Amino acid sequence: MRTSRLGATGLAVSAVGLGTLTWGRDTDEHDAAEHLEAFLDVGGTVIDTAASYADGAAEEILGAQLAERRVRDDVVVVSKAGTRVRGGTGVVDASRAALLTELDASLVRLGTDRVDLWLVQRPDPETTLEETLGALDHAMRTGRARYVGLANHPAWSTAHAATLSRTLLPAPHLAAVEVEHSLLQRGTERELLPAARALGLGVIAWSALGRGVLAGRYRSSVPPASRAASAHLRGFVEPYLDARSASIAEAVATAADGLDVSPAEVALAWSVRSGVDVSLVGASSAAQLRQTLKGAELDLPESIERALDEVSAIPLGYPERL
């Protein structure tokens, strides 16, 4: 699998990363082990998790698997903090106390002394960026995080944080941003992706398969065993079960038929060549993941790539385009 440097850093990352959102809930230890094996077999290195995934169970499973395989030094572990459950309700808390407490708990669950990239999962309107960056600074200076960055922050706060980090954080300052980006969600192309490139930030695209919709599972109905039928993931998928998303998914399926590959391969092939550093994917089975990962090596004909760009294009107006 192709590797590159993450943004302006020296951190080598694989073009595709393995997401662990469902680990510990829909994906048990046995299935997770098979997913990891399939990913490592094709040269993947980036594994994305978070303290909030299955209330920490995803990190526990990942830590156990890395220890069993003795591959900790061969992978890039990305974890996130800043959202947690309080009184049964999810809250955003990017304060110094909350972030560093979560980081310590993550390291215990992962069975490691550091994460390779540590991200603030969401903007916290109650905490200043200076305080949040101070926590990232402490994590790096104590060696508990090799690189730091942001996830799901809008372009203006990303640029603000990147500017502040040049004086508040040691080099390489902010290393990366993680945002949703796929053929179904290209909103970050308006301002965030250009800002990241200008500021030297790497870009990690989560849900490169459009929350699974681009894999073609929902073309005619919602399968009973799918994420959209799951009580805790239904709300995650439903935004992309609309008419616009269906038309894009059909275009992907048509392209896949013409190339004699799966829709997931086409969607991933588009993502890894869309200007991001890492495209994150997950799957419901190891066999499905192995099929999807073939997309990392698929060269889309220019005509198909252009057609997919056109059918999924987002409107640009003032001030992005004058």
Side-chain angles (χ1 to χ4, degrees):
M1 184 182 296
R2 175 180 60 83
T3 62
S4 65
R5 301 295 177 175
L6 183 66
T9 76
L11 181 63
V13 292
S14 54
V16 180
L18 178 63
T20 65
L21 173 66
T22 64
W23 287 23
R25 182 171 283 172
D26 300 280
T27 305
D28 63 21
E29 294 91 338
H30 174 74
D31 289 338
E34 291 187 341
H35 291 190
L36 182 59
E37 181 179 4
F39 180 66
L40 296 176
D41 281 349
V42 298
T45 61
V46 177
I47 308 172
D48 181 82
T49 189
S52 61
Y53 290 175
D55 296 327
E59 288 183 327
E60 289 180 350
I61 293 174
L62 175 58
Q65 290 300 319
L66 294 180
E68 181 178 332
R69 286 174 167 75
R70 299 181 181 180
V71 294
R72 175 63 188 92
D73 293 336
D74 301 321
V75 298
V76 176
V77 175
V78 181
S79 194
K80 300 177 283 293
T83 65
R84 55 198 175 98
V85 177
R86 180 188 294 160
T89 303
V91 297
V92 177
D93 189 346
S95 66
R96 177 186 177 90
L99 290 176
L100 294 177
T101 297
E102 287 189 25
L103 176 57
D104 287 341
S106 289
L107 294 178
V108 171
R109 289 190 291 264
L110 289 165
T112 184
D113 61 349
R114 87 283 181 190
V115 291
D116 300 294
L117 176 62
W118 189 46
L119 307 173
V120 180
Q121 195 163 1
R122 290 182 61 184
D124 178 4
E126 304 300 323
T127 302
T128 66
L129 270 175
E130 288 85 350
E131 179 174 341
T132 297
L133 291 174
L136 300 185
D137 172 58
H138 185 70
M140 280 200 294
R141 291 186 188 277
T142 57
R144 295 179 313 199
R146 295 286 173 83
Y147 297 88
V148 296
L150 305 175
N152 305 307
H153 283 59
W156 72 266
S157 62
T158 298
H160 185 198
T163 302
L164 288 174
S165 75
R166 295 183 186 279
T167 57
L168 297 178
L169 300 183
H173 317 301
L174 283 188
V177 293
E178 183 175 310
V179 291
E180 183 176 9
H181 184 255
S182 71
L183 281 162
L184 298 186
Q185 179 52 271
R186 298 176 61 186
T188 52
E189 294 177 18
R190 293 186 179 96
E191 292 189 346
L192 194 143
L193 294 189
R197 295 188 189 101
L199 294 165
L201 304 180
V203 178
I204 300 175
W206 63 263
S207 209
L209 303 187
R211 309 189 185 188
V213 173
L214 293 172
R217 297 195 70 188
Y218 306 103
R219 293 174 68 186
S220 58
S221 63
V222 176
S226 66
R227 290 182 180 181
S230 165
H232 57 275
L233 287 175
R234 183 182 303 117
F236 180 68
V237 179
E238 280 182 346
Y240 295 150
L241 298 181
D242 59 359
R244 176 183 179 275
S245 299
S247 67
I248 297 171
E250 281 301 317
V252 170
T254 299
D257 288 342
L259 297 172
D260 195 24
V261 298
S262 69
E265 290 173 71
V266 171
L268 182 58
W270 181 91
S271 178
V272 298
R273 291 160 181 79
S274 66
V276 303
D277 295 274
V278 182
S279 300
L280 297 178
V281 298
S284 58
S285 70
Q288 184 186 75
L289 180 61
R290 290 183 188 277
Q291 185 74 42
T292 297
L293 290 172
K294 294 178 181 179
E297 309 302 327
L298 175 64
D299 288 323
L300 294 177
E302 183 179 346
S303 58
I304 288 180
E305 191 169 344
R306 184 168 57 250
L308 294 176
D309 283 340
E310 290 175 355
V311 74
S312 64
I314 56 173
L316 293 179
Y318 181 85
E320 296 89 12
R321 179 177 293 167
L322 298 177

